[in-house]
Amino acid sequence: RNINRLYKTNRQHFAKSKNRPIFQTINTTPFLMVAPSVRLYSNLSTEDPSKQQHAFKEFEKLIIKDREDKSLQRYLIQVMGEKDFLSAKIHLMVKHKRWRNVKSTIREMLRNDVNLNEQGYVAVIRFLSKKTMAHSESIRAFDVIKGRMEKDNIKKSTYVCGCMFEFFRYRKRFVEAKELMDEMVVEETRLDSFCYTQLVHLFRKDIDMVDYLYSLSGMGLGNIYLFNALLKVYSDAGQIDKIDYILNDMDDSGVDYDIYTYKVVLAAYIRKGKYDLVDTLLFYMANENLKLDRELCGILVKYYGMMHDLDKVENYLQKISHHKLGYDADLYSSIFSALSNFKDIALVQKWEEHMNSYSGKFKFNSNLYTSLICTFSEVGDFDKVAHYYNKMYDA
């Protein structure tokens, strides 16, 4: 630090001098641009809020870079206390997706019987929701964390319950979710849109339960994530009347559609043959400044293929290439489903060659094999039908 200060103070003198000091041969950029990793924080006052805030920001930068500074950690423990420091550390690691460090820290915490505050417990629960730990290990860890929260008298606030519902959603814990719902009713804890969104995803195959949750949530709690979750459930169930009802609720609530809303609703309308509703929705979508993605292009390619509109199909295929959206098995499945309506063997063979050039970059699935078999059957190339049937059988 002293060398850096001396260099900046005498920079013009050194530039003119022929006899430059030896430390100028060192690359000084790290000293000038990046904070040093070792600082003597033990000499700082623990009562200075600005110093504490600065130290915490430095600590977050080190978390991002997967680095440690023992002196900085000792200072923060002195300022915050061990429990709050460890909680903040786990929160930052989860925030910046340092999964390996989180995993080792949680295991060490569980072995050493260390307690956390509410922020720390929430961060641990959100991490356990991810599929970065084995299912059985995450369940055991959650049970331990739940017991420690009860021991530390951590109140199950709305946000804490929402994170627990998120864990139940990803780990398919239906009974525990219902028990927590009953507990929240007894303790008069309010459910917010985050809680309802997780519950709708969890019980998505139970339409009666989803109807009940929607009646509880009401229009006022609706945000785009909750509405999209409900639309996905009713789209998979083929309940067009419920979809129209939710879209009206979105309009009344002033919630704008996003690209996921359009994808889910378009797919539902196309499956049910509601082509007039598809055209209406596409008209509204054209007025939105939406960024196309691969899935939406696949839906539209398949739809215009069903409508025998080759110009529109080729237009969206060009957009996929122009925007560099990439290709996967589902997109190729939509392309071949669209091409089967035109019965042009040259066009089908052209896209088969295109697919083979990308074959190492994605994995074939049953939908793609089925589309290929049906398409080559439509154009009368039964050797290809047998070829892809055998490949599907081998896979």
Side-chain angles (χ1 to χ4, degrees):
R1 197 155 56 230
N2 290 335
I3 290 174
N4 188 24
R5 190 180 298 119
L6 181 64
Y7 174 65
K8 285 196 286 187
T9 306
N10 301 280
R11 184 180 299 173
Q12 291 181 350
H13 170 71
F14 291 144
K16 295 177 182 177
S17 174
K18 294 182 180 179
N19 301 319
R20 298 189 178 186
I22 189 167
F23 64 80
Q24 270 194 280
T25 59
I26 303 172
N27 180 12
T28 56
T29 305
F31 296 96
L32 294 171
M33 303 301 293
V34 182
S37 62
V38 179
R39 294 182 182 276
L40 300 177
Y41 282 96
S42 55
N43 296 329
L44 295 178
S45 169
T46 58
E47 298 177 358
D48 189 343
S50 62
K51 296 290 185 184
Q52 295 173 17
Q53 189 176 13
H54 174 73
F56 194 77
K57 287 181 179 178
E58 290 292 314
F59 180 67
E60 184 170 5
K61 290 177 184 177
L62 293 175
I63 291 284
I64 295 171
K65 297 175 184 177
D66 286 333
R67 293 165 64 186
E68 285 191 356
D69 185 335
K70 298 295 185 184
S71 175
L72 175 56
Q73 289 193 27
R74 284 194 296 270
Y75 169 73
L76 288 173
I77 289 172
Q78 185 182 359
V79 171
M80 303 171 64
E82 188 173 358
K83 182 168 76 173
D84 290 343
F85 168 73
L86 185 59
S87 300
K89 182 180 178 181
I90 294 174
H91 168 74
L92 289 175
M93 288 191 291
V94 172
K95 176 183 174 182
H96 296 292
K97 300 180 180 181
R98 296 296 179 260
W99 305 132
R100 186 181 301 174
N101 297 340
V102 180
K103 192 184 297 185
S104 60
T105 305
I106 289 174
R107 285 172 175 166
E108 184 179 354
M109 181 199 74
L110 295 175
R111 282 196 302 269
N112 298 333
D113 197 22
V114 178
N115 295 333
L116 304 172
N117 59 23
E118 181 180 319
Q119 183 191 45
Y121 284 124
V122 165
V124 172
I125 292 171
R126 300 208 75 173
F127 169 74
L128 296 176
S129 303
K130 313 298 178 185
K131 295 185 178 180
T132 51
M133 289 182 76
H135 181 77
S136 57
E137 185 181 8
S138 67
I139 295 297
R140 287 195 301 270
F142 178 81
D143 291 337
V144 173
I145 293 298
K146 187 178 175 183
R148 290 190 187 178
M149 289 175 67
E150 293 173 356
K151 184 179 177 182
D152 293 344
N153 294 321
I154 301 294
K155 184 181 178 182
K156 290 181 180 177
S157 62
T158 300
Y159 183 62
V160 172
C161 290
C163 294
M164 295 177 79
F165 284 133
E166 184 183 33
F167 174 82
F168 296 144
R169 167 195 168 184
Y170 286 109
R171 299 298 176 177
K172 305 291 190 294
R173 313 297 289 182
F174 300 98
V175 176
E176 289 92 332
K178 288 182 177 179
E179 289 175 354
L180 182 58
M181 284 180 65
D182 295 337
E183 190 178 334
M184 292 179 73
V185 171
V186 172
E187 295 181 0
E188 297 182 350
T189 305
R190 186 180 64 87
L191 278 78
D192 63 0
S193 58
F194 179 62
C195 296
Y196 283 116
T197 302
Q198 306 308 318
L199 288 168
V200 168
H201 282 296
L202 177 63
F203 295 105
R204 62 185 180 276
K205 294 185 179 179
D206 187 347
I207 297 297
D208 293 334
M209 184 66 175
V210 172
D211 289 340
Y212 172 68
L213 291 169
Y214 186 44
S215 66
L216 286 178
S217 66
M219 230 173 25
L221 281 177
N223 61 14
I224 189 63
Y225 301 107
L226 176 56
F227 281 128
N228 283 343
L230 290 163
L231 287 170
K232 177 63 176 170
V233 171
Y234 292 128
S235 172
D236 292 342
Q239 297 191 5
I240 302 298
D241 54 337
K242 294 280 181 68
I243 290 175
D244 294 337
Y245 186 74
I246 292 172
L247 291 177
N248 290 332
D249 273 0
M250 291 178 73
D251 294 335
D252 294 340
S253 303
V255 178
D256 295 330
Y257 304 171
D258 65 2
I259 192 167
Y260 186 82
T261 309
Y262 283 109
K263 287 191 291 189
V264 171
V265 177
L266 282 172
Y269 285 164
I270 292 170
R271 276 198 302 270
K272 287 294 182 178
K274 304 289 185 179
Y275 301 132
D276 54 336
L277 296 177
V278 173
D279 292 335
T280 303
L281 197 62
L282 288 175
F283 174 77
Y284 286 117
M285 191 180 76
N287 296 323
E288 299 281 348
N289 189 21
L290 292 175
K291 186 177 179 181
L292 288 175
D293 69 356
R294 184 166 55 200
E295 187 179 357
L296 180 58
C297 286
I299 292 170
L300 294 174
V301 165
K302 191 172 182 178
Y303 169 68
Y304 285 118
M306 294 168 64
M307 297 294 103
H308 295 87
D309 191 338
L310 184 57
D311 292 336
K312 288 285 182 66
V313 170
E314 291 181 338
N315 180 33
Y316 278 102
L317 292 176
Q318 288 173 2
K319 287 182 178 181
I320 293 168
S321 177
H322 176 71
H323 293 292
K324 298 180 180 178
L325 301 178
Y327 297 87
D328 61 3
D330 291 329
L331 180 55
Y332 278 119
S333 175
S334 299
I335 291 171
F336 284 106
S337 295
L339 297 180
S340 66
N341 296 284
F342 303 106
K343 299 183 180 180
D344 186 341
I345 190 168
L347 193 58
V348 172
Q349 289 174 347
K350 171 189 168 184
W351 277 98
E352 184 192 19
E353 291 176 4
H354 188 281
M355 180 190 69
N356 290 333
S357 67
Y358 274 84
S359 60
K361 299 178 182 179
F362 67 91
K363 188 177 180 180
F364 279 61
N365 59 22
S366 58
N367 290 334
L368 178 53
Y369 281 124
T370 304
S371 296
L372 287 165
I373 290 169
C374 293
T375 302
F376 280 107
S377 176
E378 288 291 334
V379 298
D381 191 340
F382 297 105
D383 291 337
K384 290 288 186 181
V385 171
H387 170 72
Y388 285 111
Y389 179 80
N390 290 330
K391 285 190 71 173
M392 182 172 67
Y393 183 80
D394 294 337

